[in-house]
Amino acid sequence: MEYLTRIYMYGGVSVKDVESSKFIKAYAEHLKRGDKFKEPSWVDIVKTGFTKELSPYDRDWYYIRAASILRRLYIRPFTGVGGFKKIYSKKNKIRVKPSHYNKGSGKIPRSILHQFEKIGIVKKTKKGTRKVTSLGRKEMDAIALKIHKETQPKKKEEIDEIDELNEIIEENKEEKEEEEKEEEKEKEN
C-alpha cells in the first residue's frame, strides 16, 4: 500500500522518473548543505574496496556514495550491507594473474546507513535489512520533482516569447552593424 500511495504524491514524479546521475548529484548537494548528515573523520584516508590502492580524489565522494546508496535503497528496498558490498564490488586485475572478483568495503555503507537511521530517512527491518521511511520518500520525491521541472521541455508560449526576444536581439545587432559601417565610412572620408 505504501508504494501505491507514493505514486500520487508530488505531482506523480518519483525518483524512478528522473535520470540517476542528476538525482545523485542533487541529493549529494542537499546532504552537503544540510547539517544533519556529517562525513566521518576517516573519509580522506579510507579505501572504497580491496581492489583500490588509494582513497577517492573527489572531496565529496562520501556524499555522492550516500546519495547513491539511498537511491538504490529507494528502488530496491530490503537491501543490507552485504548487498551494497556486492553492488560496489569490482574485478581485481593484477598484471598477468587471472582477475578475481572482490567485494567493496562494508564500513562505508554501514556508516552511511547508520547516519540515515539517526536522521530518520532509513529504518531497519526485523530481518536486519533496511528500507526508506515515508519521510525519506517525501524528501527524495521532492528533490526528484525539482529536477524533473528543470529538465522538462518548455511550453509553447515560453518558446514563442524566446523566439520574439531572439528576433529583437538580431534586429538590434543588424542596426549596430549598419551604424558601425556608417561610422567607418565617415572616418574614411
Side-chain angles (χ1 to χ4, degrees):
M1 295 303 247
E2 188 177 344
Y3 299 111
L4 297 175
T5 57
R6 176 181 49 82
I7 294 172
Y8 300 104
M9 294 173 49
Y10 295 107
V13 177
S14 70
V15 174
K16 295 179 183 180
D17 300 327
V18 179
E19 191 177 327
S20 62
S21 61
K22 290 181 181 179
F23 176 79
I24 289 170
K25 285 180 186 176
Y27 201 79
E29 283 297 318
H30 172 72
L31 289 174
K32 190 174 178 185
R33 275 188 267 122
D35 57 344
K36 294 180 181 177
F37 192 84
K38 301 287 183 190
E39 60 180 22
S41 60
W42 45 261
V43 167
D44 55 344
I45 55 174
V46 72
K47 297 186 334 178
T48 57
F50 178 76
T51 59
K52 301 291 184 175
E53 292 183 15
L54 298 170
S55 62
Y57 291 121
D58 188 7
R59 289 179 182 244
D60 298 332
W61 74 268
Y62 191 75
Y63 295 108
I64 293 169
R65 179 64 61 97
S68 173
I69 285 174
L70 196 61
R71 181 185 175 276
R72 285 193 178 261
L73 201 58
Y74 181 97
I75 292 171
R76 189 173 185 168
F78 309 111
T79 307
V81 176
F84 288 114
K85 285 173 74 172
K86 288 179 191 173
I87 289 169
Y88 295 107
S89 61
K90 193 175 178 181
K91 275 187 180 179
N92 190 10
K93 176 75 175 150
I94 304 173
R95 297 187 189 135
V96 184
K97 296 179 184 178
S99 60
H100 294 282
Y101 171 82
N102 292 106
K103 291 184 179 179
S105 171
K107 172 77 173 176
I108 297 167
R110 190 177 300 112
S111 67
I112 288 171
L113 290 170
H114 281 303
Q115 284 196 47
F116 282 142
E117 283 177 22
K118 286 179 185 175
I119 296 171
I121 295 175
V122 172
K123 70 177 180 181
K124 202 170 192 176
T125 61
K126 293 177 184 177
K127 293 183 179 179
T129 58
R130 270 109 171 162
K131 72 176 205 174
V132 181
T133 61
S134 60
L135 174 71
R137 287 186 183 281
K138 287 178 186 177
E139 186 177 299
M140 293 172 73
D141 287 340
I143 291 173
L145 178 66
K146 181 181 173 187
I147 295 167
H148 184 71
K149 284 183 178 179
E150 291 173 357
T151 58
Q152 248 183 349
K154 298 188 179 190
K155 295 179 183 175
K156 189 176 186 252
E157 299 166 354
E158 294 176 2
I159 293 172
D160 291 339
E161 290 177 13
I162 291 171
D163 289 338
E164 289 175 12
L165 290 173
N166 286 336
E167 289 175 6
I168 293 170
I169 291 170
E170 287 178 16
E171 290 174 5
N172 288 340
K173 285 182 181 178
E174 291 173 0
E175 290 175 6
K176 286 181 182 179
E177 289 175 359
E178 290 175 5
E179 289 176 5
E180 290 175 359
K181 288 179 182 177
E182 291 176 5
E183 289 177 5
E184 289 177 9
K185 288 180 181 178
E186 290 176 4
K187 289 180 181 177
E188 291 176 359
N189 294 334

